[in-house]
């Protein structure tokens, strides 16, 4: 199975939670990284899974987050380089 990641960067923690909830419900993905900047006013969540699952999750997360706040970025990276995964992974492998 090809691994992919999706990054969803939004303004405000509540928007991030709404987007992550939609991503988790839309497809079989797992949360691997959360980054909070500016005291939680800019939040990035990263999920991983198969390419098709991550793509579906990203679309759902972006749409849901846009309904409650400001989406700065939503991007899918298929087959990320292992060094990128080392940088992002926060769960035990």
């Amino acid at each position: 199975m090809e691994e992919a990641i999706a990054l969803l960067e939004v303004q405000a923690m509540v928007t991030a939670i709404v987007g992550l909830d939609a991503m988790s419900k839309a497809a079989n993905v797992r949360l691997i990284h959360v980054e909070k900047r500016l005291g939680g006013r800019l939040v990035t969540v990263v999920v991983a899974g198969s390419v098709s699952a991550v793509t579906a999750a990203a679309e759902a997360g972006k749409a849901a987050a846009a309904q409650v706040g400001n989406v700065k970025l939503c991007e899918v990276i298929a087959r990320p380089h292992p060094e990128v995964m080392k940088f992002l992974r926060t769960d035990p492998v």
Side-chain angles (χ1 to χ4, degrees):
M1 173 175 67
E2 295 290 327
E3 180 85 356
I5 59 173
L7 298 92
L8 177 65
E9 186 171 74
V10 298
Q11 206 168 6
M13 181 63 79
V14 172
T15 308
I17 292 169
V18 169
L20 179 59
D21 181 58
M23 292 171 95
S24 299
K25 290 176 179 174
N28 184 22
V29 294
R30 64 191 179 285
L31 176 66
I32 62 167
H33 187 76
V34 176
E35 186 168 333
K36 295 175 269 186
R37 298 280 184 171
L38 305 173
R41 292 185 304 244
L42 189 61
V43 182
T44 305
V45 295
V46 183
V47 298
S50 69
V51 176
S52 59
V54 167
T55 302
E59 291 171 4
K62 182 179 179 180
Q67 290 181 353
V68 296
N70 190 2
V71 176
K72 296 292 187 180
L73 169 93
C74 184
E75 190 66 42
V76 174
I77 302 173
R79 299 179 327 117
H81 191 278
E83 293 300 315
V84 173
M85 296 305 291
K86 287 181 189 177
F87 177 74
L88 292 173
R89 193 165 302 279
T90 56
D91 63 347
V93 178

